[in-house]
Amino acid sequence: MSQIYASFKSIGAYVPEKVLSNADLEKMVDTTDEWIVKRTGISERRIAAEDEYTSDMAAKACELAIERSGVAKEDIDLVVCATVTPDYFNMPSTACLISDKLGIRDVQAFDISAACSGFVYLLSVAKAFVESGMKKNVLVVGAEKFSSIVDYTDRGTCILFGDGAGAAMICATTNKEEAFVDLHASADGSYADFLVTPAPGCVNPVSQRVIDEGLQYVQMKGNETFKLAVKTLTKDVKEILEKNEINSDDIPHFIPHQANYRIIKAVGDSLKMKEEQVVLTVGKYGNTSAASIPMAINDIWESGRLKEGELMLLDTFGGGLTWASALLPFAGKSK
Ligand code: UT7
């Protein structure tokens, strides 16, 4: 029997209509467009409508990814969603709601929680299911309504985050050329306090105190996270390239987590990446956590920049702390 590999067959994304610009934020907190652009590279981000939920955005991204893959909905045998802003904490899973919205029934569906690293973590889940022979067509989606956990009086976080979704079909193949080259995912819980949403959860169940203290909002040690992000992202990419004997010049698309332009620039520079190799969407979408990498892949596919067979290097970092990198070809059709 020939070996089965996982391949990245298609990409899709959805961004909500409403734009929250730096000028809008200037009216909400003590900040300036100049400060935000200089310190983060972000000019605007998208915000979901009040009645538009993570599963709605995810389902729209999934519809595109499914259509572009050519896989029939009835042949999808696993749906996995990465999010830290699920429709419900914690039942039903957002993946169950997405499957229902897509009209896919009787399918295994579940969520994972790995913050901004969620999408690359999902790829490791899909790879394991496909290469073990348990599943053939895995729909993976990173989606966030991050605005639902942002305190819009906290200038340290509200300038960074945005909403959106990105999805991909990961399919079984016997063609080694299409296979994932390598993937590495890791975590270090001793830095758990760098990025936290303290409530709701069993540590802080919903109470008046939770509301009074604003514990339902994301809390971030921004500067400490920044420094660790640069160090970890750089190290992770160096290791995966060295291990696979690939030179950074040979990577047409370096797609890092879109957290802050200065982090991406520092990592890109230390890896000696040229500007045209580095994918940047942070300026127009901000940090969309688990959706950031698939949204960025979708951007280069839709603009015709990502072609069939081209190598992608993904690199991400987020709450947990978690981090992950992946080296894989785009096995779908060029636009
Ligand atoms: O996606 C998950 C991972 N998350 C990240 O990777 C986020 C990483 N962190 C960051 O992107 C940056 O740390 C921030 C953009 C959040 C903050 O930038 P920074 O250069 O690290 O600023 P800082 O926190 O060291 O603060 C410097 C100064 C402070 O003022 P003082 O104490 O020097 O007077 C802050 O109060 O900047 C002030 N400040 C602001 N000023 C204007 C912080 N936020 C703002 C703001 N506008 N929005």
Side-chain angles (χ1 to χ4, degrees), residues 36-74:
I36 302 172
V37 171
K38 199 167 147 216
R39 300 292 259 252
T40 70
I42 302 170
S43 298
E44 57 187 43
R45 63 294 288 145
R46 300 298 181 99
I47 303 294
E50 212 170 310
D51 59 353
E52 183 174 40
Y53 308 118
T54 298
S55 65
D56 297 315
M57 294 186 280
K60 287 183 178 150
C62 288
E63 286 285 7
L64 281 176
I66 296 168
E67 187 192 314
R68 292 168 181 173
S69 71
V71 173
K73 279 186 182 169
E74 52 273 24

PDB file of all heavy atoms in Angstrom, residues 36-74:
ATOM      1  N   ILE A  36       0.298  54.296  17.117  1.00  0.00           N
ATOM      2  CA  ILE A  36      -0.111  52.924  16.767  1.00  0.00           C
ATOM      3  C   ILE A  36       0.658  52.442  15.529  1.00  0.00           C
ATOM      4  O   ILE A  36       1.179  51.324  15.504  1.00  0.00           O
ATOM      5  CB  ILE A  36      -1.643  52.826  16.539  1.00  0.00           C
ATOM      6  CG1 ILE A  36      -2.411  53.278  17.775  1.00  0.00           C
ATOM      7  CG2 ILE A  36      -2.034  51.386  16.189  1.00  0.00           C
ATOM      8  CD1 ILE A  36      -3.923  53.403  17.577  1.00  0.00           C
ATOM      9  N   VAL A  37       0.744  53.298  14.506  1.00  0.00           N
ATOM     10  CA  VAL A  37       1.424  52.879  13.267  1.00  0.00           C
ATOM     11  C   VAL A  37       2.903  52.624  13.553  1.00  0.00           C
ATOM     12  O   VAL A  37       3.460  51.602  13.136  1.00  0.00           O
ATOM     13  CB  VAL A  37       1.232  53.930  12.146  1.00  0.00           C
ATOM     14  CG1 VAL A  37       2.115  53.607  10.949  1.00  0.00           C
ATOM     15  CG2 VAL A  37      -0.232  53.993  11.719  1.00  0.00           C
ATOM     16  N   LYS A  38       3.535  53.535  14.299  1.00  0.00           N
ATOM     17  CA  LYS A  38       4.968  53.399  14.578  1.00  0.00           C
ATOM     18  C   LYS A  38       5.268  52.154  15.432  1.00  0.00           C
ATOM     19  O   LYS A  38       6.223  51.425  15.167  1.00  0.00           O
ATOM     20  CB  LYS A  38       5.436  54.662  15.322  1.00  0.00           C
ATOM     21  CG  LYS A  38       6.917  54.872  15.280  1.00  0.00           C
ATOM     22  CD  LYS A  38       7.291  56.267  15.731  1.00  0.00           C
ATOM     23  CE  LYS A  38       8.623  56.194  16.437  1.00  0.00           C
ATOM     24  NZ  LYS A  38       8.737  57.108  17.557  1.00  0.00           N
ATOM     25  N   ARG A  39       4.436  51.878  16.432  1.00  0.00           N
ATOM     26  CA  ARG A  39       4.734  50.789  17.366  1.00  0.00           C
ATOM     27  C   ARG A  39       4.185  49.426  16.936  1.00  0.00           C
ATOM     28  O   ARG A  39       4.602  48.393  17.460  1.00  0.00           O
ATOM     29  CB  ARG A  39       4.183  51.096  18.768  1.00  0.00           C
ATOM     30  CG  ARG A  39       4.762  52.349  19.351  1.00  0.00           C
ATOM     31  CD  ARG A  39       6.240  52.162  19.648  1.00  0.00           C
ATOM     32  NE  ARG A  39       6.475  51.908  21.043  1.00  0.00           N
ATOM     33  CZ  ARG A  39       7.031  52.772  21.874  1.00  0.00           C
ATOM     34  NH1 ARG A  39       7.426  53.948  21.425  1.00  0.00           N
ATOM     35  NH2 ARG A  39       7.203  52.456  23.129  1.00  0.00           N
ATOM     36  N   THR A  40       3.198  49.432  15.985  1.00  0.00           N
ATOM     37  CA  THR A  40       2.592  48.143  15.623  1.00  0.00           C
ATOM     38  C   THR A  40       2.466  47.925  14.114  1.00  0.00           C
ATOM     39  O   THR A  40       2.264  46.796  13.672  1.00  0.00           O
ATOM     40  CB  THR A  40       1.163  48.005  16.206  1.00  0.00           C
ATOM     41  OG1 THR A  40       0.290  48.916  15.515  1.00  0.00           O
ATOM     42  CG2 THR A  40       1.108  48.312  17.689  1.00  0.00           C
ATOM     43  N   GLY A  41       2.488  48.999  13.326  1.00  0.00           N
ATOM     44  CA  GLY A  41       2.260  48.873  11.877  1.00  0.00           C
ATOM     45  C   GLY A  41       0.791  48.744  11.517  1.00  0.00           C
ATOM     46  O   GLY A  41       0.435  48.544  10.352  1.00  0.00           O
ATOM     47  N   ILE A  42      -0.090  48.860  12.517  1.00  0.00           N
ATOM     48  CA  ILE A  42      -1.532  48.670  12.255  1.00  0.00           C
ATOM     49  C   ILE A  42      -2.214  50.008  11.954  1.00  0.00           C
ATOM     50  O   ILE A  42      -2.035  50.980  12.695  1.00  0.00           O
ATOM     51  CB  ILE A  42      -2.228  47.992  13.472  1.00  0.00           C
ATOM     52  CG1 ILE A  42      -1.569  46.639  13.782  1.00  0.00           C
ATOM     53  CG2 ILE A  42      -3.733  47.818  13.205  1.00  0.00           C
ATOM     54  CD1 ILE A  42      -2.015  46.004  15.108  1.00  0.00           C
ATOM     55  N   SER A  43      -2.988  50.038  10.844  1.00  0.00           N
ATOM     56  CA  SER A  43      -3.752  51.242  10.521  1.00  0.00           C
ATOM     57  C   SER A  43      -5.229  51.054  10.827  1.00  0.00           C
ATOM     58  O   SER A  43      -5.931  51.981  11.213  1.00  0.00           O
ATOM     59  CB  SER A  43      -3.624  51.586   9.034  1.00  0.00           C
ATOM     60  OG  SER A  43      -2.285  51.859   8.729  1.00  0.00           O
ATOM     61  N   GLU A  44      -5.706  49.828  10.575  1.00  0.00           N
ATOM     62  CA  GLU A  44      -7.113  49.540  10.861  1.00  0.00           C
ATOM     63  C   GLU A  44      -7.310  48.060  11.108  1.00  0.00           C
ATOM     64  O   GLU A  44      -6.418  47.253  10.830  1.00  0.00           O
ATOM     65  CB  GLU A  44      -8.007  50.023   9.708  1.00  0.00           C
ATOM     66  CG  GLU A  44      -7.638  49.417   8.363  1.00  0.00           C
ATOM     67  CD  GLU A  44      -8.426  50.030   7.207  1.00  0.00           C
ATOM     68  OE1 GLU A  44      -8.590  51.262   7.166  1.00  0.00           O
ATOM     69  OE2 GLU A  44      -8.879  49.240   6.351  1.00  0.00           O
ATOM     70  N   ARG A  45      -8.447  47.714  11.652  1.00  0.00           N
ATOM     71  CA  ARG A  45      -8.811  46.317  11.892  1.00  0.00           C
ATOM     72  C   ARG A  45     -10.302  46.209  11.646  1.00  0.00           C
ATOM     73  O   ARG A  45     -11.015  47.211  11.625  1.00  0.00           O
ATOM     74  CB  ARG A  45      -8.381  45.818  13.282  1.00  0.00           C
ATOM     75  CG  ARG A  45      -8.925  46.404  14.507  1.00  0.00           C
ATOM     76  CD  ARG A  45      -8.589  47.848  14.829  1.00  0.00           C
ATOM     77  NE  ARG A  45      -7.233  48.187  15.268  1.00  0.00           N
ATOM     78  CZ  ARG A  45      -6.627  49.328  14.941  1.00  0.00           C
ATOM     79  NH1 ARG A  45      -7.215  50.248  14.172  1.00  0.00           N
ATOM     80  NH2 ARG A  45      -5.432  49.602  15.375  1.00  0.00           N
ATOM     81  N   ARG A  46     -10.786  44.935  11.431  1.00  0.00           N
ATOM     82  CA  ARG A  46     -12.216  44.728  11.181  1.00  0.00           C
ATOM     83  C   ARG A  46     -12.907  44.270  12.459  1.00  0.00           C
ATOM     84  O   ARG A  46     -12.323  43.513  13.244  1.00  0.00           O
ATOM     85  CB  ARG A  46     -12.409  43.668  10.098  1.00  0.00           C
ATOM     86  CG  ARG A  46     -11.791  44.016   8.758  1.00  0.00           C
ATOM     87  CD  ARG A  46     -12.417  45.269   8.174  1.00  0.00           C
ATOM     88  NE  ARG A  46     -11.825  45.570   6.888  1.00  0.00           N
ATOM     89  CZ  ARG A  46     -12.400  45.243   5.720  1.00  0.00           C
ATOM     90  NH1 ARG A  46     -13.555  44.629   5.687  1.00  0.00           N
ATOM     91  NH2 ARG A  46     -11.793  45.552   4.589  1.00  0.00           N
ATOM     92  N   ILE A  47     -14.168  44.696  12.601  1.00  0.00           N
ATOM     93  CA  ILE A  47     -14.944  44.334  13.787  1.00  0.00           C
ATOM     94  C   ILE A  47     -16.262  43.710  13.350  1.00  0.00           C
ATOM     95  O   ILE A  47     -16.986  44.284  12.525  1.00  0.00           O
ATOM     96  CB  ILE A  47     -15.223  45.605  14.661  1.00  0.00           C
ATOM     97  CG1 ILE A  47     -13.901  46.304  15.053  1.00  0.00           C
ATOM     98  CG2 ILE A  47     -16.053  45.260  15.895  1.00  0.00           C
ATOM     99  CD1 ILE A  47     -12.980  45.526  15.981  1.00  0.00           C
ATOM    100  N   ALA A  48     -16.573  42.544  13.899  1.00  0.00           N
ATOM    101  CA  ALA A  48     -17.814  41.848  13.533  1.00  0.00           C
ATOM    102  C   ALA A  48     -19.021  42.627  14.040  1.00  0.00           C
ATOM    103  O   ALA A  48     -18.939  43.344  15.047  1.00  0.00           O
ATOM    104  CB  ALA A  48     -17.800  40.446  14.148  1.00  0.00           C
ATOM    105  N   ALA A  49     -20.138  42.463  13.327  1.00  0.00           N
ATOM    106  CA  ALA A  49     -21.388  43.090  13.770  1.00  0.00           C
ATOM    107  C   ALA A  49     -21.813  42.455  15.086  1.00  0.00           C
ATOM    108  O   ALA A  49     -21.387  41.344  15.421  1.00  0.00           O
ATOM    109  CB  ALA A  49     -22.464  42.876  12.714  1.00  0.00           C
ATOM    110  N   GLU A  50     -22.688  43.145  15.811  1.00  0.00           N
ATOM    111  CA  GLU A  50     -23.103  42.650  17.128  1.00  0.00           C
ATOM    112  C   GLU A  50     -23.679  41.227  17.048  1.00  0.00           C
ATOM    113  O   GLU A  50     -23.402  40.387  17.902  1.00  0.00           O
ATOM    114  CB  GLU A  50     -24.145  43.610  17.696  1.00  0.00           C
ATOM    115  CG  GLU A  50     -24.085  43.697  19.193  1.00  0.00           C
ATOM    116  CD  GLU A  50     -24.957  44.824  19.716  1.00  0.00           C
ATOM    117  OE1 GLU A  50     -24.843  45.965  19.220  1.00  0.00           O
ATOM    118  OE2 GLU A  50     -25.762  44.516  20.590  1.00  0.00           O
ATOM    119  N   ASP A  51     -24.482  40.990  15.988  1.00  0.00           N
ATOM    120  CA  ASP A  51     -25.114  39.669  15.870  1.00  0.00           C
ATOM    121  C   ASP A  51     -24.366  38.752  14.893  1.00  0.00           C
ATOM    122  O   ASP A  51     -24.933  37.821  14.337  1.00  0.00           O
ATOM    123  CB  ASP A  51     -26.570  39.812  15.428  1.00  0.00           C
ATOM    124  CG  ASP A  51     -26.679  40.520  14.080  1.00  0.00           C
ATOM    125  OD1 ASP A  51     -25.644  41.007  13.566  1.00  0.00           O
ATOM    126  OD2 ASP A  51     -27.797  40.582  13.533  1.00  0.00           O
ATOM    127  N   GLU A  52     -23.092  39.030  14.694  1.00  0.00           N
ATOM    128  CA  GLU A  52     -22.263  38.183  13.819  1.00  0.00           C
ATOM    129  C   GLU A  52     -21.243  37.485  14.722  1.00  0.00           C
ATOM    130  O   GLU A  52     -20.457  38.155  15.391  1.00  0.00           O
ATOM    131  CB  GLU A  52     -21.557  39.097  12.814  1.00  0.00           C
ATOM    132  CG  GLU A  52     -20.711  38.395  11.783  1.00  0.00           C
ATOM    133  CD  GLU A  52     -20.162  39.367  10.737  1.00  0.00           C
ATOM    134  OE1 GLU A  52     -19.766  40.492  11.127  1.00  0.00           O
ATOM    135  OE2 GLU A  52     -20.118  39.008   9.566  1.00  0.00           O
ATOM    136  N   TYR A  53     -21.292  36.155  14.750  1.00  0.00           N
ATOM    137  CA  TYR A  53     -20.507  35.421  15.734  1.00  0.00           C
ATOM    138  C   TYR A  53     -19.322  34.694  15.086  1.00  0.00           C
ATOM    139  O   TYR A  53     -19.232  34.600  13.869  1.00  0.00           O
ATOM    140  CB  TYR A  53     -21.421  34.447  16.483  1.00  0.00           C
ATOM    141  CG  TYR A  53     -22.639  35.151  17.037  1.00  0.00           C
ATOM    142  CD1 TYR A  53     -23.922  34.807  16.626  1.00  0.00           C
ATOM    143  CD2 TYR A  53     -22.495  36.224  17.925  1.00  0.00           C
ATOM    144  CE1 TYR A  53     -25.027  35.493  17.105  1.00  0.00           C
ATOM    145  CE2 TYR A  53     -23.588  36.909  18.402  1.00  0.00           C
ATOM    146  CZ  TYR A  53     -24.858  36.551  17.989  1.00  0.00           C
ATOM    147  OH  TYR A  53     -25.941  37.238  18.451  1.00  0.00           O
ATOM    148  N   THR A  54     -18.466  34.164  15.916  1.00  0.00           N
ATOM    149  CA  THR A  54     -17.284  33.446  15.419  1.00  0.00           C
ATOM    150  C   THR A  54     -17.692  32.352  14.435  1.00  0.00           C
ATOM    151  O   THR A  54     -17.101  32.212  13.361  1.00  0.00           O
ATOM    152  CB  THR A  54     -16.504  32.859  16.617  1.00  0.00           C
ATOM    153  OG1 THR A  54     -16.065  33.961  17.434  1.00  0.00           O
ATOM    154  CG2 THR A  54     -15.303  32.053  16.172  1.00  0.00           C
ATOM    155  N   SER A  55     -18.741  31.591  14.758  1.00  0.00           N
ATOM    156  CA  SER A  55     -19.153  30.491  13.866  1.00  0.00           C
ATOM    157  C   SER A  55     -19.675  31.022  12.530  1.00  0.00           C
ATOM    158  O   SER A  55     -19.536  30.346  11.506  1.00  0.00           O
ATOM    159  CB  SER A  55     -20.216  29.616  14.537  1.00  0.00           C
ATOM    160  OG  SER A  55     -21.397  30.366  14.742  1.00  0.00           O
ATOM    161  N   ASP A  56     -20.283  32.217  12.518  1.00  0.00           N
ATOM    162  CA  ASP A  56     -20.779  32.793  11.250  1.00  0.00           C
ATOM    163  C   ASP A  56     -19.605  33.144  10.335  1.00  0.00           C
ATOM    164  O   ASP A  56     -19.613  32.830   9.143  1.00  0.00           O
ATOM    165  CB  ASP A  56     -21.584  34.078  11.506  1.00  0.00           C
ATOM    166  CG  ASP A  56     -22.832  33.821  12.319  1.00  0.00           C
ATOM    167  OD1 ASP A  56     -23.533  32.851  12.017  1.00  0.00           O
ATOM    168  OD2 ASP A  56     -23.092  34.589  13.265  1.00  0.00           O
ATOM    169  N   MET A  57     -18.605  33.804  10.919  1.00  0.00           N
ATOM    170  CA  MET A  57     -17.428  34.188  10.115  1.00  0.00           C
ATOM    171  C   MET A  57     -16.698  32.937   9.638  1.00  0.00           C
ATOM    172  O   MET A  57     -16.280  32.836   8.476  1.00  0.00           O
ATOM    173  CB  MET A  57     -16.489  35.078  10.948  1.00  0.00           C
ATOM    174  CG  MET A  57     -17.107  36.416  11.299  1.00  0.00           C
ATOM    175  SD  MET A  57     -15.953  37.506  12.130  1.00  0.00           S
ATOM    176  CE  MET A  57     -16.004  36.882  13.783  1.00  0.00           C
ATOM    177  N   ALA A  58     -16.578  31.964  10.550  1.00  0.00           N
ATOM    178  CA  ALA A  58     -15.883  30.713  10.209  1.00  0.00           C
ATOM    179  C   ALA A  58     -16.591  29.992   9.074  1.00  0.00           C
ATOM    180  O   ALA A  58     -15.950  29.511   8.128  1.00  0.00           O
ATOM    181  CB  ALA A  58     -15.812  29.820  11.443  1.00  0.00           C
ATOM    182  N   ALA A  59     -17.928  29.908   9.149  1.00  0.00           N
ATOM    183  CA  ALA A  59     -18.685  29.179   8.118  1.00  0.00           C
ATOM    184  C   ALA A  59     -18.473  29.832   6.750  1.00  0.00           C
ATOM    185  O   ALA A  59     -18.352  29.133   5.742  1.00  0.00           O
ATOM    186  CB  ALA A  59     -20.161  29.142   8.493  1.00  0.00           C
ATOM    187  N   LYS A  60     -18.406  31.158   6.714  1.00  0.00           N
ATOM    188  CA  LYS A  60     -18.190  31.852   5.429  1.00  0.00           C
ATOM    189  C   LYS A  60     -16.802  31.530   4.867  1.00  0.00           C
ATOM    190  O   LYS A  60     -16.641  31.302   3.666  1.00  0.00           O
ATOM    191  CB  LYS A  60     -18.383  33.355   5.597  1.00  0.00           C
ATOM    192  CG  LYS A  60     -19.853  33.691   5.766  1.00  0.00           C
ATOM    193  CD  LYS A  60     -20.092  35.169   5.865  1.00  0.00           C
ATOM    194  CE  LYS A  60     -21.605  35.408   5.978  1.00  0.00           C
ATOM    195  NZ  LYS A  60     -21.950  36.592   6.718  1.00  0.00           N
ATOM    196  N   ALA A  61     -15.804  31.516   5.727  1.00  0.00           N
ATOM    197  CA  ALA A  61     -14.438  31.165   5.276  1.00  0.00           C
ATOM    198  C   ALA A  61     -14.407  29.709   4.801  1.00  0.00           C
ATOM    199  O   ALA A  61     -13.779  29.382   3.782  1.00  0.00           O
ATOM    200  CB  ALA A  61     -13.439  31.379   6.415  1.00  0.00           C
ATOM    201  N   CYS A  62     -15.110  28.845   5.529  1.00  0.00           N
ATOM    202  CA  CYS A  62     -15.138  27.406   5.183  1.00  0.00           C
ATOM    203  C   CYS A  62     -15.804  27.181   3.832  1.00  0.00           C
ATOM    204  O   CYS A  62     -15.319  26.360   3.039  1.00  0.00           O
ATOM    205  CB  CYS A  62     -15.885  26.613   6.249  1.00  0.00           C
ATOM    206  SG  CYS A  62     -14.971  26.450   7.778  1.00  0.00           S
ATOM    207  N   GLU A  63     -16.911  27.877   3.562  1.00  0.00           N
ATOM    208  CA  GLU A  63     -17.612  27.702   2.278  1.00  0.00           C
ATOM    209  C   GLU A  63     -16.627  27.936   1.127  1.00  0.00           C
ATOM    210  O   GLU A  63     -16.596  27.187   0.163  1.00  0.00           O
ATOM    211  CB  GLU A  63     -18.789  28.683   2.144  1.00  0.00           C
ATOM    212  CG  GLU A  63     -19.998  28.341   2.991  1.00  0.00           C
ATOM    213  CD  GLU A  63     -20.847  27.166   2.459  1.00  0.00           C
ATOM    214  OE1 GLU A  63     -20.442  26.494   1.487  1.00  0.00           O
ATOM    215  OE2 GLU A  63     -21.896  26.903   3.070  1.00  0.00           O
ATOM    216  N   LEU A  64     -15.817  28.985   1.254  1.00  0.00           N
ATOM    217  CA  LEU A  64     -14.847  29.297   0.195  1.00  0.00           C
ATOM    218  C   LEU A  64     -13.786  28.209   0.080  1.00  0.00           C
ATOM    219  O   LEU A  64     -13.443  27.771  -1.019  1.00  0.00           O
ATOM    220  CB  LEU A  64     -14.157  30.630   0.486  1.00  0.00           C
ATOM    221  CG  LEU A  64     -14.937  31.902   0.157  1.00  0.00           C
ATOM    222  CD1 LEU A  64     -14.141  33.115   0.593  1.00  0.00           C
ATOM    223  CD2 LEU A  64     -15.242  31.971  -1.340  1.00  0.00           C
ATOM    224  N   ALA A  65     -13.267  27.785   1.233  1.00  0.00           N
ATOM    225  CA  ALA A  65     -12.207  26.758   1.213  1.00  0.00           C
ATOM    226  C   ALA A  65     -12.741  25.458   0.622  1.00  0.00           C
ATOM    227  O   ALA A  65     -12.046  24.791  -0.161  1.00  0.00           O
ATOM    228  CB  ALA A  65     -11.669  26.530   2.627  1.00  0.00           C
ATOM    229  N   ILE A  66     -13.969  25.107   0.955  1.00  0.00           N
ATOM    230  CA  ILE A  66     -14.558  23.851   0.434  1.00  0.00           C
ATOM    231  C   ILE A  66     -14.721  23.968  -1.082  1.00  0.00           C
ATOM    232  O   ILE A  66     -14.288  23.087  -1.835  1.00  0.00           O
ATOM    233  CB  ILE A  66     -15.922  23.553   1.115  1.00  0.00           C
ATOM    234  CG1 ILE A  66     -15.746  23.311   2.616  1.00  0.00           C
ATOM    235  CG2 ILE A  66     -16.592  22.342   0.459  1.00  0.00           C
ATOM    236  CD1 ILE A  66     -17.048  23.304   3.413  1.00  0.00           C
ATOM    237  N   GLU A  67     -15.328  25.080  -1.517  1.00  0.00           N
ATOM    238  CA  GLU A  67     -15.570  25.275  -2.953  1.00  0.00           C
ATOM    239  C   GLU A  67     -14.257  25.230  -3.745  1.00  0.00           C
ATOM    240  O   GLU A  67     -14.152  24.576  -4.771  1.00  0.00           O
ATOM    241  CB  GLU A  67     -16.263  26.631  -3.115  1.00  0.00           C
ATOM    242  CG  GLU A  67     -16.753  26.953  -4.501  1.00  0.00           C
ATOM    243  CD  GLU A  67     -17.133  28.436  -4.569  1.00  0.00           C
ATOM    244  OE1 GLU A  67     -17.817  28.925  -3.647  1.00  0.00           O
ATOM    245  OE2 GLU A  67     -16.676  29.094  -5.537  1.00  0.00           O
ATOM    246  N   ARG A  68     -13.238  25.883  -3.220  1.00  0.00           N
ATOM    247  CA  ARG A  68     -11.956  25.946  -3.936  1.00  0.00           C
ATOM    248  C   ARG A  68     -11.200  24.617  -3.920  1.00  0.00           C
ATOM    249  O   ARG A  68     -10.295  24.410  -4.723  1.00  0.00           O
ATOM    250  CB  ARG A  68     -11.084  27.052  -3.315  1.00  0.00           C
ATOM    251  CG  ARG A  68     -11.643  28.442  -3.581  1.00  0.00           C
ATOM    252  CD  ARG A  68     -10.955  29.487  -2.725  1.00  0.00           C
ATOM    253  NE  ARG A  68     -11.482  30.813  -2.954  1.00  0.00           N
ATOM    254  CZ  ARG A  68     -11.153  31.892  -2.242  1.00  0.00           C
ATOM    255  NH1 ARG A  68     -10.293  31.775  -1.237  1.00  0.00           N
ATOM    256  NH2 ARG A  68     -11.663  33.061  -2.527  1.00  0.00           N
ATOM    257  N   SER A  69     -11.556  23.730  -2.983  1.00  0.00           N
ATOM    258  CA  SER A  69     -10.846  22.439  -2.905  1.00  0.00           C
ATOM    259  C   SER A  69     -11.433  21.414  -3.866  1.00  0.00           C
ATOM    260  O   SER A  69     -10.780  20.433  -4.204  1.00  0.00           O
ATOM    261  CB  SER A  69     -10.945  21.863  -1.485  1.00  0.00           C
ATOM    262  OG  SER A  69     -12.269  21.420  -1.227  1.00  0.00           O
ATOM    263  N   GLY A  70     -12.712  21.634  -4.270  1.00  0.00           N
ATOM    264  CA  GLY A  70     -13.387  20.647  -5.116  1.00  0.00           C
ATOM    265  C   GLY A  70     -13.868  19.422  -4.336  1.00  0.00           C
ATOM    266  O   GLY A  70     -14.396  18.488  -4.922  1.00  0.00           O
ATOM    267  N   VAL A  71     -13.692  19.435  -3.005  1.00  0.00           N
ATOM    268  CA  VAL A  71     -14.149  18.300  -2.184  1.00  0.00           C
ATOM    269  C   VAL A  71     -15.649  18.483  -1.912  1.00  0.00           C
ATOM    270  O   VAL A  71     -16.085  19.587  -1.561  1.00  0.00           O
ATOM    271  CB  VAL A  71     -13.357  18.253  -0.841  1.00  0.00           C
ATOM    272  CG1 VAL A  71     -13.924  17.195   0.100  1.00  0.00           C
ATOM    273  CG2 VAL A  71     -11.873  18.005  -1.096  1.00  0.00           C
ATOM    274  N   ALA A  72     -16.423  17.417  -2.080  1.00  0.00           N
ATOM    275  CA  ALA A  72     -17.861  17.496  -1.788  1.00  0.00           C
ATOM    276  C   ALA A  72     -18.053  17.536  -0.269  1.00  0.00           C
ATOM    277  O   ALA A  72     -17.308  16.880   0.467  1.00  0.00           O
ATOM    278  CB  ALA A  72     -18.571  16.282  -2.373  1.00  0.00           C
ATOM    279  N   LYS A  73     -19.057  18.300   0.176  1.00  0.00           N
ATOM    280  CA  LYS A  73     -19.278  18.430   1.628  1.00  0.00           C
ATOM    281  C   LYS A  73     -19.447  17.071   2.299  1.00  0.00           C
ATOM    282  O   LYS A  73     -18.980  16.860   3.422  1.00  0.00           O
ATOM    283  CB  LYS A  73     -20.506  19.297   1.886  1.00  0.00           C
ATOM    284  CG  LYS A  73     -20.208  20.779   1.798  1.00  0.00           C
ATOM    285  CD  LYS A  73     -21.407  21.595   2.207  1.00  0.00           C
ATOM    286  CE  LYS A  73     -21.073  23.078   2.058  1.00  0.00           C
ATOM    287  NZ  LYS A  73     -22.260  23.923   2.197  1.00  0.00           N
ATOM    288  N   GLU A  74     -20.119  16.139   1.592  1.00  0.00           N
ATOM    289  CA  GLU A  74     -20.364  14.821   2.221  1.00  0.00           C
ATOM    290  C   GLU A  74     -19.082  14.003   2.373  1.00  0.00           C
ATOM    291  O   GLU A  74     -19.059  13.005   3.088  1.00  0.00           O
ATOM    292  CB  GLU A  74     -21.464  14.023   1.483  1.00  0.00           C
ATOM    293  CG  GLU A  74     -21.285  13.860  -0.015  1.00  0.00           C
ATOM    294  CD  GLU A  74     -21.864  15.029  -0.826  1.00  0.00           C
ATOM    295  OE1 GLU A  74     -21.990  16.153  -0.286  1.00  0.00           O
ATOM    296  OE2 GLU A  74     -22.172  14.811  -2.013  1.00  0.00           O
TER     297      GLU A  74
END
